[in-house]
């Protein structure tokens, strides 16, 4: 049975993961559509940069975020001067780190789904007089929806498990940035913390399983609906 403090860690992890995915979804979809449909110089470089967080050590990603969002950094100075806010050592910073780490998985899943949409359907819609926006809204987006859902759930699961970039960027502050992975790490460093590690690890595994099963069920249902249409 979890204590109120442990439920707080779970709630914070869900909040960080949810905000991270919702905030990065528009960018992920735009990048996926660009990489799936557009042809432009430097496309390989853009593709590599998008997937860079998958191969770079998470600590490096966290350090780069720290440089960018520090008070003297380009984004941090802009946030301070225009909105008088800072994400350092805040849960919003943890959401930024989780969103950056989840972005490549979301882009990959959505891109594969968009590439799977038959171009002839889009061309037929354009031939019948539909605008680019209407073709995208009525053909491309509905047919790629299962991939979007899969990308969102994969990104959420990745955000829940984020550790290296988060602890480097916003540290391990109980009640503010201490999500499940960071709490498990802190418990491992504490003598007699094995029971807490077991409980939090169990919650992490359970949440990941629920997310993956929900993704599969939603994707199958969406796929059947689209097939009927």
């Amino acid at each position: 049975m979890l204590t109120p403090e442990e439920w707080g860690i779970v709630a914070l992890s869900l909040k960080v993961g949810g905000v991270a995915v919702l905030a990065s979804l528009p960018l992920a979809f735009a990048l996926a559509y660009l990489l799936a449909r557009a042809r432009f110089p430097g496309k390989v470089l853009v593709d590599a940069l998008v997937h860079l967080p998958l191969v770079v050590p998470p600590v490096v990603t966290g350090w780069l975020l720290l440089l960018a969002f520090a008070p003297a950094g380009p984004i941090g100075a802009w946030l301070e001067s225009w909105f008088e806010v800072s994400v350092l050592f805040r849960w919003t910073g943890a959401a930024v780190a989780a969103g950056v780490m989840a972005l490549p998985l979301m882009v990959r899943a959505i891109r594969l789904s968009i590439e799977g949409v038959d171009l002839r359907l889009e061309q037929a819609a354009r031939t019948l007089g539909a605008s680019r926006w209407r073709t995208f809204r009525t053909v491309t987006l509905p047919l790629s929806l299962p991939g979007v859902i899969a990308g969102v759930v994969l990104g959420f699961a990745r955000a829940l498990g984020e550790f290296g970039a988060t602890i480097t960027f916003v540290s391990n502050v109980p009640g503010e940035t201490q999500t499940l992975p960071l709490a498990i790490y802190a418990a491992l460093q504490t003598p007699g913390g094995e029971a807490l590690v077991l409980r939090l690890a169990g919650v992490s595994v359970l949440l990941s399983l629920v997310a993956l099963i929900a993704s599969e069920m939603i994707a199958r249902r969406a796929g059947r609906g689209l097939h009927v249409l």
Side-chain angles (χ1 to χ4, degrees), residues 133-223:
W133 167 243
R134 187 173 183 183
T135 301
F136 168 78
R137 183 169 53 84
T138 59
V139 178
T140 309
L141 183 58
L143 291 177
S144 61
L145 188 59
V148 176
I149 296 172
V152 167
V153 177
L154 283 175
F156 181 70
R158 178 65 186 87
L160 283 180
E162 165 49 30
F163 175 80
T166 302
I167 199 169
T168 306
F169 181 35
V170 293
S171 190
N172 187 3
V173 183
E176 187 65 43
T177 67
Q178 191 178 72
T179 56
L180 278 168
L182 274 64
I184 292 172
Y185 173 76
L188 283 171
Q189 309 303 311
T190 305
E194 291 81 5
L196 176 57
V197 171
L198 183 61
R199 291 195 297 273
L200 295 181
V203 171
S204 297
V205 172
L206 180 62
L207 289 175
S208 300
L209 278 176
V210 169
L212 292 174
I213 291 173
S215 169
E216 182 67 19
M217 293 177 66
I218 294 172
R220 287 186 179 185
R221 181 168 296 182

Side-chain angles (χ1 to χ4, degrees), residues 7-17 91 173 175-179:
W7 277 116
I9 294 171
V10 175
L12 177 63
S13 301
L14 294 174
K15 181 170 73 171
V16 167
W91 73 268
V173 183
E176 187 65 43
T177 67
Q178 191 178 72
T179 56

Side-chain angles (χ1 to χ4, degrees), residues 61-83:
T61 302
W63 175 68
L64 293 174
L65 288 174
L66 192 58
L67 293 179
F69 284 88
I75 302 177
W78 178 74
L79 289 175
E80 287 277 359
S81 61
W82 284 87
F83 303 103

